[in-house]
Every structure is written in structure tokens, then in C-alpha cells.
Amino acid sequence: MPTLDARLRLPLAGLSPATTSFPGSTPKPGSLSFALRPPSASLSSSASAPAAAAPPIVVVGSANADIYVEVDRLPLVGETVAARAGRSLAGGKGANQAACGGRLAAGPTYLVARVGDDANGRLLEGALADAGGVRLDRVARAPGAPSGHAVVMLMPGGQNSIIIVGGANMEGWASGVGSDDLDLIRRAGVLLLQREIPDWVNVQVAQAAKGAGVPVILDAGGMDAPVPGELLSLVDIFSPNETELARLTGMPTETFEQISRAAGACHKMGVKEVLVKLGSQGSALFIEGGEPIRQPIIPATEVVDTTGAGDTFTSAFAVALVEGKPKEECMRFAAAAASLCVQVKGAIPSMPDRKSVMDLLESVQPPFILNNGARGQIRRIQ
């Protein structure tokens, strides 16, 4: 991938840093200001674009410079192992979800985030601009804090282990979320959150969304700590994987029955809908008082890297939700996007465009099993 690495490190043409302010902050972090790349023609073609523009998707979350190292296995305690390859790519759960939304959504996708005024911050700015469709004027440079970064240990078969360093993602919010950002959130079609920024920031923006009737989706990935009850009470859809679900509930999640019981525990915490990502077993949506909705994976031709798969799934689900699709169709659309994602190395570089997702869905239209056991056919997502 030398060509990609070189591209990500090029200075952004037309980048013109402006001064922006957070209330009560000194010095003032710089905001990003540059011409945005228009969506690709394939996203607006009559064959793949929705009939009407949807309201904006707003992602509040992290942006990391991911240091990828490809290893045959993880080192043991006290052991040093040699990597087959290594490179730096843009990532972070917030940036990943925004990049995916930018490529799939009919309306605009905004990222509200903090990066450092450093080389990693510029790598992130460039990669997100190149991704297309992401509005970055709400990304600000935090003074005195380095950009967040992560070490991704990628093993054969596409599995990975990740260590994150918060940096500006955790330290850049001292002044809170600005009023302009909160107004944007109140006008959104959906708010996407993760746990790689402070919980109190998530609470602040979720309160703004909830007060305006904007759905809130919380991806459970990020910090290894209990989710505050105040935050869960503001969430409409909680989206963990099975490992995160087990950790957050203290319950086993080895079987589907155990996963169902753990999702029920989340319902008792105040979350009405729990969207569980199950890796090779697909996904399941548990709606309080209803039967689970299960979605199998759409098999990938080759699994290369699973790093961005969960973020792709969550973001694609949100895109279909904003467009008013039924939950079953949202899950199928998300499964197709995730299937394409795992076939490319790197999180943001792996995010698929809408035409690719639609083409995949067109090629795999098997019957599905309804909750009542009857067989039916998924309608094509326009």
C-alpha cells in the first residue's frame, strides 16, 4: 500500500486553517476550513440513491492515527516479535463511522471531533477529506494535546487486537461542546456516538439530541469501563459486540440464548433497542417487548482486515435508518457494507461506497425467515 500511504501524507490542497473558539477557552484551537469533495456520481445515480435527500448524520467521536503492524501472532509477556509490515493510516471509531456515512448517505455527514495540531492531525484531516462526503468544519485542533493514536496488531485471517491512546480525543474537550455544534445535532437525522471520548461529552450531546427528538445510537466500543446510567437513559439504540455486551452486563454471551438474556439486562438499564454485532454469526436486534431480528453475514470473498467492520456496520445501519427503512432492511444494508469493508486493509480506506453496497445486495437476494417463521423476500433498498 505505498501509494495510499503517500497520498495520506500529502498536504491538503486548499487547506486554510481558520481560528475558531470554544466558549471560555484560551488559546483558541484552529478549525478546519477547505473545499469539500462532492459525493461520487455513483452515490447520486438513479439506481442507487434514495429518492429524496435525508437529514444530516452527525457523528461525535474520536479520530486516531492507526499504526498498523502485521504479525503472525501476538507476543507473549516479555517477548519481542517481528512484524511482516507496518504503516500509519487514519482511523478512530468516530472518524470511521463518519467516513462510512459520507460514502453511503444521501444527505451530509458531519464529524464533531478533536485532533492535535501535529503530523497525525494533518494525516487525519487529509484522509477524511479524501474519503469524500464528510463535512469537517466541526473538527477542531486542540491546543496542547497530541492527536489520538492506536496500535493495531493485525493477524492472519484479518483478526486484530488494538490499543488506543486517547490524546486530543480525551483531552481536547475542556471547554465543552460549542453551541453551533449542539444546534447542528438538534437538526440531525441521527446522532452516532462511541466511547473513545469522555462520557460527559457524550451525555451533553445526547441530551441535545434527545431534547430535539433525534435518535441516538451508542456504539459500545472504546473505554473499558461501565457505561454511565445517565448516558444509557439517553440512548435509543445501544450497539455492542458480544464481547462488549458480556463485559458491560457481567453475563456470558457464548450462545444466542445467553446473548438474548444479556440484551434483556440492557433493556432493564433503560435501553429499548440493543443491536448486537456477532462477527461471523451476523447480528441481532433485540427490541424490548418484541422478538429478536437476526441478520446473517453476507460472506466476503476474502477476509483481509476486520478493524473497521463494526464501525461500518453501525454507520450503515444509521444511514438506512435515517432514510426510513424498516429495521430488517437496515440490518441487511449494514451487513452488506461490513462484508465489503473486511476485504480491504485499513479502516477508512476500507469503507465502501453506496453503489458497491447496492450491487452486492442485488447479487445476493436469498429468502429470509420472518419472526413468525414464514419465508419472505427483502425489498431492494433504493
Side-chain angles (χ1 to χ4, degrees):
M1 301 282 287
T3 304
L4 177 60
D5 284 346
R7 173 175 60 80
L8 293 181
R9 289 184 173 84
L10 287 174
L12 265 175
L15 182 61
S16 176
T19 300
T20 190
S21 61
F22 300 149
S25 66
T26 55
K28 299 174 182 178
S31 176
L32 309 180
S33 175
F34 47 84
L36 296 167
R37 173 182 296 181
S40 66
S42 65
L43 298 185
S44 58
S45 67
S46 59
S48 59
I57 293 171
V58 178
V59 182
V60 180
S62 60
N64 290 327
D66 289 345
I67 304 168
Y68 274 77
V69 289
E70 297 181 27
V71 295
D72 292 323
R73 61 177 178 81
L74 297 179
L76 301 174
V77 175
E79 182 185 23
T80 299
V81 298
R84 297 191 307 275
R87 65 200 186 282
S88 294
L89 295 171
K93 295 187 72 63
N96 293 346
Q97 292 178 13
C100 183
R103 290 180 177 175
L104 296 179
T109 298
Y110 289 84
L111 175 63
V112 180
R114 303 291 182 261
V115 299
D117 188 9
D118 53 24
N120 282 338
R122 289 184 286 277
L123 179 146
L124 289 163
E125 296 162 7
L128 285 165
D130 283 351
V134 185
R135 292 289 302 270
L136 301 180
D137 45 309
R138 307 307 175 109
V139 176
R141 296 177 182 170
S147 294
H149 55 281
V151 178
V152 181
M153 291 167 282
L154 182 62
M155 289 163 281
Q159 296 304 307
N160 61 72
S161 293
I162 304 173
I163 302 171
I164 60 173
V165 180
N169 295 314
M170 299 301 293
E171 303 168 20
W173 302 90
S175 304
V177 182
S179 59
D180 288 347
D181 292 337
L182 295 175
D183 288 342
L184 171 67
I185 289 164
R186 295 183 183 104
R187 300 193 303 272
V190 67
L191 173 65
L192 277 171
L193 304 175
Q194 323 81 39
R195 302 198 67 217
E196 291 182 346
I197 62 174
D199 281 327
W200 66 263
V201 176
N202 280 334
V203 169
Q204 183 181 7
V205 297
Q207 286 173 336
K210 198 75 170 179
V214 175
V216 178
I217 299 177
L218 174 64
D219 190 305
M223 66 181 71
D224 183 7
V227 182
E230 183 181 14
L231 178 56
L232 281 177
S233 70
L234 299 166
V235 170
D236 295 284
I237 301 175
F238 182 53
S239 184
N241 61 31
E242 71 271 39
T243 303
E244 293 158 349
L245 182 63
R247 185 178 71 233
L248 293 168
T249 62
M251 301 172 68
T253 56
E254 298 297 321
T255 67
F256 190 79
E257 291 71 20
Q258 291 174 338
I259 291 168
S260 297
R261 287 193 288 271
C266 292
H267 292 153
K268 293 177 181 177
M269 297 176 191
V271 181
K272 301 298 184 185
E273 300 186 29
V274 182
L275 178 62
V276 186
K277 300 177 284 277
L278 299 171
S280 63
Q281 300 304 307
S283 60
L285 177 63
F286 299 88
I287 301 175
E288 188 173 29
E291 292 294 319
I293 302 171
R294 300 183 68 171
Q295 169 63 50
I297 64 165
I298 297 177
T301 304
E302 180 185 14
V303 177
V304 175
D305 181 4
T306 60
T307 304
D311 294 327
T312 298
F313 182 93
T314 304
S315 183
F317 180 93
V319 167
L321 185 69
V322 167
E323 294 171 6
K325 307 303 181 188
K327 296 291 174 59
E328 291 87 350
E329 291 188 20
C330 293
M331 294 176 71
R332 187 164 173 79
F333 185 72
S339 176
L340 293 169
C341 168
V342 301
Q343 300 181 53
V344 180
K345 287 183 181 178
I348 289 177
S350 70
M351 302 299 170
D353 61 33
R354 188 179 185 96
K355 183 178 185 303
S356 298
V357 175
M358 299 310 306
D359 287 347
L360 178 58
L361 285 173
E362 188 73 14
S363 69
V364 286
Q365 287 288 347
F368 65 94
I369 305 300
L370 298 171
N371 287 338
N372 62 7
R375 295 173 71 85
Q377 192 76 24
I378 291 279
R379 297 195 310 275
R380 186 177 190 274
I381 303 177
Q382 298 299 320

